[in-house]
Amino acid sequence: MTPLIARTRFSVLDRSRIREGHTGPEALRDTVRLAEEVERLGYHRFWVSEHHGVPGVAGSAPTVLAAAVAAATGTIRVGTGGVMLPNHQPLVVAEQFGVLESLFPGRVDMGLGRSVGFTDGVRKALGRDKDDAEDFGAQIDELLGWFRGTSPTGVRARPAEGLAVPPFVLAMGEGAAIAARAGLPMVIGDLRGRDRMRRGIDDYRARFRPSAWTSEPYVVISGTVAVADTPERARRLLIPEAWSMAHSRTRGTFPPLPPAERVESLLMTAKERGLYESGLSGHIAGTEEQVADELERVLKETGAQEVLVTTSTHDRTALLDSYRRLAGIAGLPGTDGAARR
């Protein structure tokens, strides 16, 4: 473990991906079980995501799922990566996080994104359209105002008012500039687009204004990290998600994760094969030594304070083994012989 890796926090985002042969409810229970496991390993945070109308994703209500995760764990920070603020009224979001913080004080994070529904049908069902994402900065200001008690309406957000729930901005599109202006921590990915990611981080740091939430820029880099005893087994962890992404871009639907062995037996069109191979590249994957070297490189390049791991795969046993091996690389306190901050 290098000093740079030792100074870095490691956290987990689980998207509650549905696996072939399994159901949405099983995927949600898998998420809660994974949170229990990564807490034992010593990861810093465990976040859940928001997706609507996606066949391969069960996580549609992140604050509800975060409550289940927090109830099943005892020390790990729990939050959202993220609540898509344009989909919701800021008052309701403040109330939801106020309830979470009241039930699990000192453990709740409020990760916020600016995406709206991916399809016209989903946006219509949510009562939103694409233009709602343009008001993201104002929506964040309004949301934080409910916690400060500064809303001009005379309405009070209960029990949120007066509570301190750390906000994070997911840097999608204009998110980096918005996070900088608001003086909030920023989450940026993915690890495959290194040049674009570095530009976003540089822009964030250059524009950052200290706030009551944080006095200095705080950068969380997010992406897939897969660790196994051989490079080939680490690569197999990437196969189900790579195929699902290729399928969605050629057929318009994002399917449940298939087993790696089934994907390897499929006949693909040239376009599918190209998208699939692209989906396998650029991630941090390999043996412990290979992953440690690559993590050291990306941390030097970005100066990030935290890594948020977003790996999804069909084989949950192999996924947990990957998180165990990564915890060992990072020297997390749940690994044998580890000494950590």
Side-chain angles (χ1 to χ4, degrees):
M1 178 177 55
T2 69
L4 186 55
I5 291 176
R7 292 195 300 269
T8 303
R9 289 170 167 167
F10 284 80
S11 300
V12 174
L13 166 66
D14 191 71
R15 294 189 175 92
S16 303
R17 292 285 276 115
I18 300 170
R19 298 176 289 153
E20 279 190 5
H22 299 266
T23 65
E26 286 178 295
L28 296 172
R29 292 191 287 270
D30 283 343
T31 292
V32 175
R33 283 192 290 268
L34 181 61
E36 294 173 309
E37 293 290 346
V38 300
E39 178 180 59
R40 282 192 278 271
L41 290 171
Y43 284 86
H44 185 61
R45 310 178 204 276
F46 189 92
W47 283 6
V48 296
S49 62
E50 175 182 340
H51 297 274
H52 298 284
V54 180
V57 182
S60 57
T63 54
V64 177
L65 184 53
V69 168
T73 56
T75 57
I76 195 169
R77 296 196 65 85
V78 176
T80 57
V83 165
M84 297 299 128
L85 193 51
N87 289 338
H88 310 280
Q89 292 295 333
L91 170 61
V92 175
V93 176
E95 290 171 337
Q96 291 173 346
F97 279 97
V99 169
L100 283 171
E101 176 64 20
S102 299
L103 293 173
F104 309 102
R107 292 180 57 206
V108 176
D109 300 321
M110 185 167 59
L112 306 167
R114 68 187 296 267
S115 290
V116 290
F118 291 127
T119 66
D120 290 338
V122 169
R123 288 190 292 271
K124 183 177 180 181
L126 291 169
R128 297 292 186 269
D129 59 41
K130 291 181 180 179
D131 292 340
D132 287 311
E134 302 305 314
D135 296 327
F136 185 48
Q139 291 160 353
I140 287 179
D141 290 341
E142 180 183 344
L143 172 61
L144 299 182
W146 289 115
F147 286 93
R148 293 190 296 258
T150 57
S151 171
T153 65
V155 176
R156 314 294 285 272
R158 306 190 189 280
E161 187 174 314
L163 297 180
V165 182
F168 294 73
V169 175
L170 276 61
M172 295 173 287
E174 296 298 316
I178 291 169
R181 286 196 299 270
L184 301 179
M186 178 187 71
V187 183
I188 189 167
D190 64 32
L191 293 172
R192 296 192 300 163
R194 301 285 178 85
D195 290 341
R196 183 175 58 189
M197 184 172 66
R198 284 195 299 268
R199 287 194 299 270
I201 292 170
D202 290 343
D203 183 55
Y204 167 70
R205 291 191 174 120
R207 299 189 186 199
F208 183 83
R209 300 175 183 172
S211 72
W213 298 100
T214 182
S215 60
E216 297 179 350
Y218 188 91
V219 175
V220 183
I221 55 173
S222 67
T224 296
V225 181
V227 196
D229 59 348
T230 68
E232 294 74 24
R233 285 179 178 154
R235 183 180 183 275
R236 283 179 66 81
L237 283 165
L238 308 176
I239 287 174
E241 186 77 13
W243 167 244
S244 291
M245 290 298 295
H247 186 282
S248 72
R249 291 174 182 173
T250 53
R251 307 185 191 186
T253 60
F254 196 62
L257 294 174
E261 55 269 22
R262 189 174 80 74
V263 175
E264 291 173 325
S265 69
L266 291 174
L267 293 175
M268 302 184 197
T269 66
K271 183 176 181 180
E272 286 172 337
R273 175 66 63 180
L275 290 168
Y276 168 65
E277 294 292 344
S278 175
L280 291 172
S281 66
H283 305 290
I284 297 178
T287 63
E288 280 100 326
E289 182 178 1
Q290 291 170 325
V291 168
D293 288 345
E294 189 62 23
L295 279 172
E296 179 79 5
R297 185 175 301 112
V298 74
L299 290 171
K300 284 181 179 177
E301 291 173 356
T302 63
Q305 289 96 333
E306 187 168 341
V307 177
L308 180 67
V309 183
T310 62
T311 310
S312 297
T313 196
H314 185 276
D315 187 338
R316 299 294 287 192
T317 300
L319 179 65
L320 181 56
D321 181 65
S322 176
Y323 278 122
R324 287 195 187 105
R325 292 174 184 272
L326 178 58
I329 293 168
L332 300 186
T335 57
D336 291 340
R340 184 90 170 149
R341 55 186 178 276

